[in-house]
Structures are given as C-alpha cells and as structure tokens.
Amino acid sequence: MAEKKMEKNNFSTLSRPRRLPAQIAIQISKKIREGVFPPGSKLPSEARIAVEFGVSRTAVREAIASLRQDGYVETQQGKGAFVSPDFEFKAFKIDSKELATLEDLRAVMELRIEMQVGGAAMAARRRSHEQLCELMGVLEKMKQTIDAEKDFFELEAQFHRVVAEATHNKHYCDFIQFLSHRIRTSLAFETPEISKGSRAAGKILREYEEIYEAIRLGDPDKARRAAWYHILRSASRLGLRGLQGWEESRMTLIGDSYIPTCAEPDPNPGTPKLVVPRGACDCHAHILGPRSRYPYTPHRSYTPPDASLTSYKEVLSALGLERAVIVQPSVYGTDNRATLDAIRQGGENFRAVVVVDENIDVKEMERMHEMGARGVRINLLFKSGIEVSDVKKLAEKIAPFGWHLQMLVDVSEFSDLDTLAKLPVDVVFDHMGHMPASLGVDHPGFKKMLRILEGGRAWVKVSGAYRISGCTMPPYEDTGAFARKIIETNPDRVVWATDWPHPCINVPMPKDADLLDLLAQWAPDEEIRNKILVTNPARLYEFGPLL
C-alpha cells in the first residue's frame, strides 16, 4: 500500500522541553486515530518523517519503536512501518516518564478521583476481616514512619493496593495495579510537603484513617466521601486547585443533581388465579403523597408519583388481602407522617415500618408503637438519611420494643452479613436479599443470608422479583430458584409482598395479580403458602386474632 503524502500530514512544530521522540510518537498516533493513516497503511519513510519534523532519523526510529511497543504500528524488515490492523485494541498506557508537569499530574488525579472513589465504596461493602487487619497494619507502619521523620509514599501505594483487593473485582484490581506506578509519581511529588514536618504528614495519615474507618464500618457512602476528600486534598498539595471543578466546600453526595421520576403503578391490578386465605397480608407497600402535604426530602434518589391509601385499598381488595404493612419510603427520610397517617386511617389491620435515627426520643417511639409501628428500615440502596454505621445503635434502641430491623441491602455486596445475626433484634431482608439473579443461588452473600434465616435470626420477604431479575415480564423465571430456596430453608420466617406502587423500577410496570400468582409457583404447598400469607405476618407484625 502506498505511503501517505507528507504534505497532508500537517504535523505541529515540536517543542523542545519534552523529548523529541515522544512528541513525534504522540503526533503520529494522533494522525492514526484520526484516520489520516488508516489501518494497514504504510507510514512515510524515516527520512521523510525526519524532514517533516526537522529532526534526526535516530529520533524518528525511537518514535517508531515506541509506537510499535504501544501497538500502533508493525514493522516489516526492509519494507518500513505499517499501521496495525487492530490498533484500536492496543493496551492502555500512561507513561510515568511523561508526567513532567502539573497538568500531566492533573490528568492522573482526575482519573484517580473517578476510579478510587468508587473503589473505596466497593471495598466498604466487600472487604474481609483479613483485609481490614492488613489495612490497619499499613496505618501502623505509617505512624512509625512519621515518628522516624521519613516519607511513607511506598506505604501509601500499599494502602491503595489493599483497598483495591478488598473490592474483590479482578478487573478493578488489575487497573489499580497498572495505575499504581503513576499514583506513586503523584505521591512522590507530595513528599516535599510531607517533609515539612510531622504536622503535614499527620494530616495525610488522618485522611487514610478516615478511609479505613469508613471501610471498617462497611459504609459505602462514608468511604466515597473519605476517598473524595483525600484525593482532592492530595491534588491541593500538588498545587492543583479545583480538580474537575470541585472544591472541598462544594462537596455533596454523588448523584444529588439528578433525580429520576418514577412511572405510575398500573391502575388495574388484575384478578389473581390464586385464592388467598382469610387474614392474608401484603407485607411491603408504600403510601406516597399528596406531595403538597407530605413533601419529599431534597436528598432523595427518585421522585415517585402520588400513591394514595384509597388506591392501595383497591389493590388489596382486588387481590383478596385483608392486612397490610406500610413501609416508610426513602423519599421521606425520617419524616414518617405519611406512613403513620396511612396506618391510622387503615385501622387495626395495618402496621408500619418506619425510618428513624439513633437520636429518636423514646416517647416518640412509644407513640409510634401504639399507632402500629413494628420495625425500623435501613435502606442502603436509595438515599434515606440512614447509613450502615447506624445499624448497631438502632438495634439497641429498638430492642426494648420488640421491633425488627428491615434491611434493604444487596447481600452480594454487604460484607457484614454475619454481624447481623449478633444483633439484639431480628433482621428482615427485603426483596429476597436484593441480589442480582444472574449471580446464582450459590453466591456466598445469598448463602450467608440463608444461614441467618435458617438460624432463626432473620426473616426474608419473597417480593420484588422484578428488582433482581434479568427478565422484564412476569413470571421472572430466573428468580424462582431464589424464592424456592428461601422458602425451603425456613418456611416459618418467610413473608410475601407486592412492593406497591413499585417505585423506581426499570422494567415494565407489573400487574399486582401476576405478582401474587408467583407465590403459587414458588410455594405450591397450600399449608406453607398460608404460613407465608397469614401466620408468619401475624407473628412478625403482631396482628391480633382474626375475628
């Protein structure tokens, strides 16, 4: 194939501070990506490139060697250099030798803030006890190094490596390992700041301690914030103010600016094939609005349409259900007025699960108990104002009332499942553990949940199949194995629910009758099904005897 005409290349004039071969390689690779030199085409000869750039042929040869190493070109003995047919799939590369200016470092720091903030959150969910011990060991060595007035950037790189391993994501680990040498460059640039005294080093150490503490608590939101603060402060120490336009004073929760709107529930719930027994209960539904009377928190993850008690009662009637549990949705935070007003209007066949913080007044809890509250929800998937670090404190607070903790977590991501069995209250897992069905029933997180269920310290709601399924329509075939496994493990601690009005789902809106009919498939034995619909809810939510 003929080589490209030099007059069409329009290479830029080289600047002398950067190595000439590197500049030549950058410009040629740019022309390759732009299609000036298409795959398979021959590059101009060394002599012609040397003339174009005004450099020696030695500099050109070094540039071509670099392009070959990066996968852009292939050389053929006696014929010249050709653009690789598959150069688009070349290995990703950041050359630490090229990090010569603050702007070069800015690019790496921006990459770090995008990758490592999310990595810290993953580590908070998935870290093992052994990895926590390893992180603590690194922190102890950092303290000793500070006392010896030495820099510790090698230990910083080790800390980042252990956090990456704690994500248990192979591809993330591989990428961070690749990035680690470039991270070390930016850490080394911070060394003069550290060497100014133990005070500066102490500040950096505290940043790592904050990341560790968030990961130890298993709190992904705190881990994000701690990692975000650390990288921004790190950038500031390098003289990079306003990284990505962010200053510490402007920090907020990631994603606050976008609040999606949810679809409305199907106004026709349908007619189920399954005939339910007297006293059957829907153990998970939400009452929403009117928004003018019950405003949503500005820090919500979604905006639902109004879903009134009147509309919900029509669903209950269509399905033949007599009892219901209204669960506080995340959009209200700790403002439980809409939920409590709904159960007050609903009467003795309604119960509530509320959202409170650790500072809740005992008298307020007594009032809510009298109204029908029987549990506290901790929602770690949607912003609700409650975080995982609140679990133990809340458990101790509600234990005297006999309430339970209702957990909306992804059991494949939540690293502290075993600790839930040690709480002084029962735990209720929403929506079959909210784990993607694609992970299978043998996933360690799902098996841990089953062990807690088998031990009699937990309950599980067989609900929300559309939230974990890879299918878009009932019967959500890939979720059946999960529901059957849960029921088989301990049928005395399983309840069922509609999850009406099905807020924030990314599949077509289901008919509630179809969701009820799923239970007949999951629990074909009528006696077990009656436990799930009547007996178990009566025990868990303390419903009175049927009249």
Side-chain angles (χ1 to χ4, degrees):
M1 187 175 289
E3 62 186 48
K4 286 285 179 179
K5 300 290 186 182
M6 289 302 295
E7 60 270 22
K8 294 183 179 180
N9 296 332
N10 297 318
F11 289 119
S12 302
T13 304
L14 301 180
S15 57
R16 294 292 166 176
R18 182 176 291 207
R19 294 182 67 250
L20 295 179
Q23 294 188 68
I24 295 168
I26 289 171
Q27 291 201 40
I28 294 176
S29 65
K30 184 174 184 290
K31 297 296 182 184
I32 291 173
R33 291 193 301 271
E34 291 173 345
V36 175
F37 300 127
S41 66
K42 183 180 179 181
L43 293 183
S45 66
E46 287 182 4
R48 295 182 69 178
I49 294 176
V51 170
E52 173 81 7
F53 283 110
V55 298
S56 69
R57 293 178 65 172
T58 300
V60 175
R61 278 194 290 270
E62 286 186 36
I64 297 298
S66 174
L67 289 168
R68 184 176 64 246
Q69 182 179 351
D70 290 348
Y72 277 106
V73 303
E74 300 172 352
T75 56
Q76 299 179 20
Q77 185 69 32
K79 294 183 178 180
F82 297 80
V83 178
S84 298
D86 56 352
F87 77 88
E88 297 94 340
F89 304 105
K90 72 180 185 67
F92 179 70
K93 180 184 178 184
I94 301 175
D95 190 347
S96 57
K97 295 177 182 178
E98 299 300 321
L99 300 179
T101 69
L102 284 181
E103 287 308 305
D104 294 328
L105 286 174
R106 177 185 291 275
V108 173
M109 296 300 286
E110 287 179 344
L111 185 59
R112 284 185 62 188
I113 203 168
E114 291 300 326
M115 296 294 295
Q116 290 183 271
V117 168
M122 281 194 287
R125 294 189 184 100
R126 303 174 180 176
R127 84 289 184 277
S128 66
H129 176 72
E130 291 75 16
Q131 286 159 339
L132 285 178
C133 291
E134 191 172 356
L135 285 173
M136 177 54 76
V138 175
L139 289 175
E140 288 297 326
K141 290 179 181 178
M142 284 184 178
K143 292 177 184 177
Q144 295 168 10
T145 303
I146 291 174
D147 291 340
E149 297 184 349
K150 298 179 180 179
D151 67 71
F152 53 70
F153 75 90
E154 289 290 341
L155 291 172
E156 291 183 89
Q158 185 178 348
F159 184 93
H160 291 299
R161 176 186 59 77
V162 179
V163 171
E165 291 173 354
T167 68
H168 295 278
N169 182 308
K170 178 184 181 302
H171 300 299
Y172 179 80
C173 280
D174 289 346
F175 184 80
I176 290 299
Q177 182 177 358
F178 162 81
L179 192 60
S180 64
H181 296 292
R182 288 80 192 167
I183 291 175
R184 289 182 189 205
T185 300
S186 62
L187 295 177
F189 269 83
E190 290 184 63
T191 299
E193 181 75 17
I194 297 172
S195 64
K196 291 178 182 177
S198 59
R199 182 177 179 182
K203 288 181 179 179
I204 297 174
L205 176 61
R206 283 191 291 276
E207 292 169 21
Y208 284 109
E209 289 174 336
E210 288 169 4
I211 296 172
Y212 166 79
E213 182 63 14
I215 292 174
R216 185 190 69 79
L217 289 171
D219 194 322
D221 287 330
K222 286 189 175 181
R224 281 190 188 95
R225 290 194 290 272
W228 201 348
Y229 273 116
H230 165 65
I231 296 172
L232 283 184
R233 290 168 181 165
S234 208
S236 180
R237 285 187 286 269
L238 291 168
L240 299 173
R241 296 284 181 182
L243 191 68
Q244 289 186 328
W246 286 102
E247 295 286 355
E248 291 180 23
S249 60
R250 295 176 57 203
M251 281 192 187
T252 182
L253 287 177
I254 298 172
D256 274 355
S257 59
Y258 175 65
I259 305 176
T261 300
C262 303
E264 295 182 350
D266 191 327
N268 177 16
T271 302
K273 298 175 183 177
L274 179 63
V275 178
V276 301
R278 281 196 63 217
C281 183
D282 177 7
C283 293
H284 192 113
H286 309 289
I287 301 301
L288 298 154
R291 193 170 174 182
S292 58
R293 182 174 180 183
Y294 306 106
Y296 302 141
T297 173
H299 302 296
R300 61 191 181 277
S301 295
Y302 59 88
T303 298
D306 284 356
S308 68
L309 180 62
T310 300
S311 298
Y312 178 55
K313 283 184 174 181
E314 292 174 358
V315 173
L316 294 178
S317 177
L319 302 185
L321 304 172
E322 297 180 46
R323 291 171 169 171
V325 178
I326 307 302
V327 176
Q328 172 78 346
S330 63
V331 295
Y332 284 130
T334 56
D335 180 359
N336 294 283
R337 289 179 300 148
T339 295
L340 293 175
D341 284 353
I343 65 169
R344 178 178 55 79
Q345 296 171 39
E348 61 184 12
N349 283 335
F350 278 68
R351 294 289 185 269
V353 174
V354 296
V355 172
V356 301
D357 60 36
E358 65 203 55
N359 300 314
I360 182 74
D361 183 78
V362 173
K363 290 185 178 179
E364 176 63 12
M365 293 180 69
E366 291 173 348
R367 184 184 74 85
M368 291 192 291
H369 186 84
E370 287 297 318
M371 294 182 70
R374 291 297 182 269
V376 168
R377 190 186 201 199
I378 293 184
N379 183 337
L380 300 180
L381 296 182
F382 301 103
K383 299 170 193 170
S384 62
I386 301 297
E387 297 179 327
V388 68
S389 49
D390 300 318
V391 172
K392 186 176 180 181
K393 295 175 182 176
L394 281 174
E396 293 171 348
K397 194 93 173 186
I398 68 176
F401 293 89
W403 291 6
H404 61 265
L405 278 180
Q406 180 175 312
M407 305 290 294
L408 180 56
V409 296
D410 178 342
V411 296
S412 69
E413 297 280 321
F414 191 63
S415 58
D416 281 332
L417 282 175
D418 290 332
T419 65
L420 298 180
K422 302 173 185 177
L423 295 174
V425 297
D426 280 356
V427 172
V428 177
F429 289 100
D430 275 353
H431 309 322
M432 297 188 274
H434 213 289
M435 184 187 84
S438 59
L439 296 179
V441 295
D442 291 325
H443 188 279
F446 186 72
K447 293 172 80 171
K448 280 184 180 181
M449 183 186 74
L450 292 182
R451 283 198 297 272
I452 302 172
L453 174 66
E454 185 178 29
R457 296 308 312 275
W459 302 71
V460 180
K461 295 182 181 182
V462 284
S463 60
Y466 46 76
R467 295 190 182 277
I468 67 172
S469 177
C471 306
T472 60
M473 301 293 291
Y476 311 111
E477 292 93 343
D478 54 351
T479 65
F482 289 82
R484 286 188 286 272
K485 196 71 175 178
I486 289 167
I487 294 168
E488 172 191 316
T489 298
N490 193 342
D492 293 328
R493 282 184 165 252
V494 179
V495 294
W496 172 87
T498 62
D499 190 29
W500 189 89
H502 320 292
C504 202
I505 62 174
N506 58 0
V507 296
M509 189 60 65
K511 287 189 177 294
D512 296 284
D514 291 338
L515 300 179
L516 180 56
D517 285 338
L518 288 177
L519 184 60
Q521 300 178 28
W522 298 340
D525 183 276
E526 184 179 7
E527 183 178 348
I528 291 178
R529 204 162 56 236
N530 290 350
K531 282 185 177 181
I532 294 170
L533 288 169
V534 183
T535 310
N536 295 349
R539 288 170 47 217
L540 178 60
Y541 299 104
E542 297 182 342
F543 284 109
L546 291 171
L547 300 177

